[in-house]
Amino acid sequence: MELEKFMYDNKITRNFAVATVVWGVVGLLMGLIVALQIFIPAMNFNLEFTTFGRTRPLHTNAAIFAFVGNAIFTAVYYSMQRLLKTRMFSDLLGKIHFWGWQLIIVAAAVTLLAGYTSGKEYAELEWPIDLAITVVWVIFGINMFGTLLIRRTSHIYVAIWFYIATWVTVAVLHIVNSIEIPYSLLKSYPVYAGVQDALVQWWYGHNAVAFFLTTPFLGLMYYFVPKAANRPIYSYKLSIVHFWSLIFIYIWAGPHHLLYTSLPNWLQALGTTFSIMLIAPSWGGMINGLLTLRGAWDKVRRDPILKMFVVGLTAYGMSTFEGPMLSLKTVNAISHYTDWTIGHVHIGALGWNGLMTFGMLYWLIPRLYNTKLWSTKLANAHFWLATLAIIFYAVPLYIGGITQALMWKQFTPDGFLLYPNFLETVTQLIPMYAIRAFGGSLYVTGMLLAVVNIVKTAQAGTFLKEEAAEAPALKTQEMPKQDNESWHGFLERKPIRFLIFATIAILIGGLFEIVPTYLVKSNVPTISSVKPYTPLELQGRDIYIKEGCYNCHSQMIRPFRSEVERYGEYSKAGEFVYDHPFQFGSKRTGPDLAREGVKTGKIYKPNAWHYNHFIDPQKMNEASIMPPYPWLAEKDIDLSSTPAKIRVMKKLGVPYPDNYEHQANDDLKAQAEEIAQNLREAGIETESTKEIIALIAYIQRLGTDITTPETSNE
């Protein structure tokens, strides 16, 4: 058979690999800063743009979409060409994809630090960037499926199955969760509200972990682990079961992020059930990867690349065991809102994503530059630093998380909270935060060693921009059915049909969970006492979101005796029908604020207390770890945006009166003057036009619609 000669494009792979290294340094350094900020207020630098509320989303976006995202594209562009025996469909589309993605990352960094955020975890980017992501993702998809259609192989390998599932699911997740109505050039409100918004967000959030941090890395694992070990994958049949069961089950598990909240119980039960089921396909993938190394364990002892792959797979196994465990309601009652969850997430991020990425880079860069790795000893040092870093990072957070939960729930023999002041629970964690930061510094040090090793390797070799290859010509329409071909073999010959089946598999769970919450009104019962936010409160809420307060404070009281005693009446689904976006939160570095404005049932804080707390938290309590926000007393409320905000809220179903946008600012000014006058009476001179007035109005509104006490049990 005559062989066709062609050239692999290594330039696109090299570009994404370089971006992976660059953004890896940025993301990890930002993570170290965030780890220090959480217990050293001075590390917020007393600047509007560098507070924890703004740097924390920047860190998560840099780690997920910049570092891990570029690593994914590095793996896809390198492995697809070789698995399909063809150059990528379009060099131009590859270039647009690369530069478009990097520009999106830069735009994300600038806007997040400037305070432009949707307030939804892992989906904080505002509507213009969301549109750009959609366009670039479609371009990536065209290039990927174009390549599949011009391939020179009859079947598509397992790694590409995971790439296909990643592409279609991320597209669906991003589009559904990003439906929003703009009210300005850079700001918008999501179309979903309250409980429905929380469900869609964590359907997205959990599956962003599944289909951005997991499935493409399983594709990476199925290609690079056999290559590095020089062994075939352990089991083809296991890979089939692993793939289809994983993508079908994963999509149902999102509600486990909302256990004991006001989400309907049937959804919580579904989320828990499918989360527990997830352990089977997850461990199937881990076992398939580890058993691929059978007969090569002597090489593992010497090869830092294989060491990284082994520990990465082990971290994946640990994380995917812990995830189902944390979805059990009895365990979740302890772990949720604590640092335990942060430790769990970073086992996956640092261990699975980090070490698999480093292993791939150490294997790939020498081949791109036609040389050997500059220093195996340096790579081994990186491996041990990273492994120790993960231990120093996660263990104190596990200890700290359990400590938090037990202190929050502890009662005296007389029936009172043993630690009624939330800050008492925070100060106990400071040593744990310090150890976590030390672990982070070790991981960053390992990353810097990797930079040196990779740069030196590149300098020692010559970059192969184009790599010659040859393979038999094969037209897709001439791919006949093989003898004794299985149903899956048939799908592997038909990538578009494979895409359709994968799409159906991932849509079933999402449709089953999300649609009923909109069609069955009993899922979100209305409460007549709940009213829309006043214009001033709405402006204050947007300032609260802009400053990233949701990163440290929840607004969701669970039906536990300890939480009702500490915060007030537990939360109801109908409270949040006008909340665009929801503010349930996922971590309590500070106390829950759901009932912060209620004047009975717990100690009420007057306007003057909140003013002083925003300006100088340590003045109110020297042990506080909250950064100051002095600019709130200096910046004016953007009154010009009020009419547009009201108009969009009315489109979203918030029952403001007709033409209310024309008088909204008059009502805003009147309420603002009342608060300013109250502050003057307390000895605080401030103008009613300042942002701090709006933020105080929002904080004092929280919980005031729900005042009837009910008995609750732990």
Side-chain angles (χ1 to χ4, degrees), residues 249-250 252-256 259 265-281 324 327-329 513:
I249 294 173
Y250 232 134
W252 295 75
H256 80 225
L259 299 182
N265 282 331
W266 67 271
L267 274 168
Q268 296 185 40
L270 268 182
T272 298
T273 301
F274 280 89
S275 297
I276 294 168
M277 291 167 63
L278 258 179
I279 194 171
S327 71
L328 296 170
K329 294 190 82 170
E513 290 180 339

Side-chain angles (χ1 to χ4, degrees), residues 498-517:
F498 193 102
L499 169 66
I500 293 170
F501 273 72
T503 304
I504 293 170
I506 63 99
L507 285 179
I508 293 172
L511 291 173
F512 196 91
E513 290 180 339
I514 293 173
V515 172
T517 62

Side-chain angles (χ1 to χ4, degrees), residues 236-249:
Y236 167 71
K237 290 182 179 179
L238 181 56
S239 68
I240 295 174
V241 176
H242 171 213
F243 173 78
W244 289 105
S245 58
L246 189 79
I247 69 167
F248 175 76
I249 294 173

Side-chain angles (χ1 to χ4, degrees), residues 413-468:
D414 297 322
F416 298 102
L417 286 170
L418 183 60
Y419 304 102
N421 185 347
F422 187 90
L423 197 54
E424 292 179 278
T425 70
V426 175
T427 55
Q428 290 295 316
L429 303 178
I430 302 300
M432 303 303 166
Y433 289 152
I435 298 171
R436 185 261 295 268
F438 172 71
S441 67
L442 290 180
Y443 204 88
V444 170
T445 303
M447 177 78 226
L448 296 177
L449 293 183
V451 172
V452 172
N453 212 354
I454 288 169
V455 169
K456 289 289 188 180
T457 300
Q459 291 175 343
T462 302
F463 177 54
L464 299 176
K465 182 179 177 181
E466 307 258 330
E467 187 176 337

Side-chain angles (χ1 to χ4, degrees), residues 60-78:
T60 56
N61 278 267
I64 296 170
F65 301 110
F67 174 52
V68 172
N70 278 292
I72 292 167
F73 301 135
T74 302
V76 169
Y77 277 98
Y78 184 84

